[in-house]
Amino acid sequence: REHIVPSLVQRPGVRQGSDPVRWSDIGGLDSVKQQLVESAVWAYTRADAYKELGIQPPRGVLLYGPPGTGKTLLAKAVATESAANFISVSIPELIKGEVGESEKALKEIFHSAQQSAPCVVFLDELDAIFGSRDASGEVGQQLITQLMLELDALHETNDAKDNGATAASAVILLAATNHPEVIDPAILRSGRLDRLVYVPPPCLADRQHILMLHMNRTPFEDALRAQLLNDECLLEGYTGADIAATVRMAALHALRRAPASHDHCLVSTLIMRAPTVP
Ligand code: ATP
């Protein structure tokens, strides 16, 4: 069902499609997943119920929280679980282009999303748009204005569809930031990115779950596996990304210790690094 737009794929920072991520691939974050089911997935899967109730589903969700806590994974999972296409955009990459180019690209992205609806558009590092400057050194107000125009248009198009037969062919915007404080409140007003979802650093139970998911892909010595999962202070201060990196490093260490191609690789030590979250 993927609708590939060649000119869009060539844009720096823009990617169409992703490897499918399911809720079950994401450790912990149960309440975040539930909020996303209600604020994004239902817009696709329960469009008729919204219509019956006479209310509009939300169209824009801002995920905010520290780096490496799974915001990108969550956005991909929303698309997979909604059977929607996925277009992801790195805002810092997008704004590197010539003056006027990023506005054009943004227009093209939303146009392509409509063409490939149902579709999730994911704007990563949204805060970068508010620090962007044009040739005269002015903050890229035009780009911000363009984003608001696209958000408003998205709402209108989706509303029109909700009244028609193709209720589930909506476009939803998900955006992510580590710096919600710099986001212009005009973007967050009702009808735009009006759902804010905090993605927190993982608690102990979440860290155990994340570690288990990553250990399941890598052979670990049973004793080490048991010791880790019983540790009350397991990977304190580590984010999901830190945990993934720790398992990767441990796997590489095991590879180094079993250099011959027929040697079995088994992880027997975890090398701890300084955690991201103090
Ligand atoms: P940033 O704010 O820096 O862009 P992010 O919040 O978008 O980070 P992701 O890119 O989703 O974080 O996560 C990076 C990697 O960390 C993932 O590809 C995954 O391997 C791992 N990871 C993070 N959170 C989780 C989680 N909850 N469950 C499983 N893996 C996770």
Side-chain angles (χ1 to χ4, degrees):
R1 66 162 55 240
E2 191 95 341
H3 176 97
I4 301 285
V5 182
S7 62
L8 192 65
V9 182
Q10 283 157 16
R11 291 267 180 201
V14 181
R15 289 180 114 198
Q16 264 198 303
S18 86
D19 27 312
V21 176
R22 307 226 66 124
W23 293 134
S24 54
D25 298 321
I26 303 177
L29 297 174
D30 288 345
S31 104
V32 173
K33 289 177 194 166
Q34 187 54 35
Q35 288 177 67
L36 285 173
V37 166
E38 292 177 17
S39 59
V41 176
W42 282 355
Y44 299 101
T45 60
R46 306 191 64 187
D48 291 344
Y50 274 107
K51 202 170 147 192
E52 210 174 298
L53 291 166
I55 54 167
Q56 303 298 335
R59 297 303 185 193
V61 181
L62 179 66
L63 298 164
Y64 68 100
T69 44
K71 297 180 289 299
T72 307
L73 276 186
L74 288 160
K76 289 179 178 174
V78 166
T80 311
E81 300 288 350
S82 311
N85 286 313
F86 187 71
I87 300 179
S88 81
V89 185
S90 158
I91 296 292
E93 288 288 311
L94 188 83
I95 60 181
K96 269 190 204 153
E98 305 261 304
V99 179
E101 270 301 299
S102 8
E103 287 96 296
K104 228 168 101 186
L106 207 60
K107 243 188 195 167
E108 209 173 287
I109 288 159
F110 280 92
H111 178 73
S112 302
Q114 294 289 356
Q115 302 273 298
S116 43
C119 186
V120 169
V121 177
F122 176 56
L123 303 184
D124 200 9
E125 297 186 62
L126 180 70
D127 47 279
I129 221 174
F130 300 101
S132 66
R133 291 170 194 274
D134 64 19
S136 60
E138 298 281 306
V139 170
Q141 191 55 47
Q142 280 183 341
L143 185 57
I144 298 169
T145 309
Q146 186 65 42
L147 176 60
M148 294 203 214
L149 280 175
E150 296 300 342
L151 270 164
D152 294 343
L154 191 72
H155 213 261
E156 281 157 25
T157 324
N158 284 333
D159 287 356
K161 278 180 181 156
D162 287 341
N163 293 325
T166 52
S169 34
V171 174
I172 288 202
L173 176 70
L174 298 185
T177 182
N178 306 140
H179 302 288
E181 69 284 357
V182 307
I183 308 283
D184 185 339
I187 291 268
L188 307 176
R189 71 143 234 242
S190 173
R192 292 180 179 160
L193 275 178
D194 55 6
R195 298 297 157 112
L196 303 189
V197 175
Y198 176 55
V199 185
C203 61
L204 174 64
D206 285 6
R207 295 196 301 275
Q208 283 172 331
H209 189 186
I210 297 169
L211 179 63
M212 231 162 59
L213 287 174
H214 286 277
M215 282 199 305
N216 284 346
R217 300 184 202 131
T218 305
F220 267 67
E221 218 173 67
D222 289 344
L224 176 63
R225 188 180 287 267
Q227 180 207 327
L228 287 170
L229 295 179
N230 285 321
D231 183 353
E232 296 277 301
C233 310
L234 176 79
L235 300 169
E236 198 137 38
Y238 279 52
T239 63
D242 292 331
I243 297 172
T246 304
V247 170
R248 205 164 36 241
M249 273 169 56
L252 286 173
H253 184 68
L255 186 66
R256 245 176 260 127
R257 294 197 328 156
S261 56
H262 58 271
D263 286 345
H264 283 300
C265 294
L266 190 65
V267 175
S268 55
T269 6
L270 215 54
I271 304 140
M272 300 302 188
R273 310 175 305 123
T276 299
V277 186

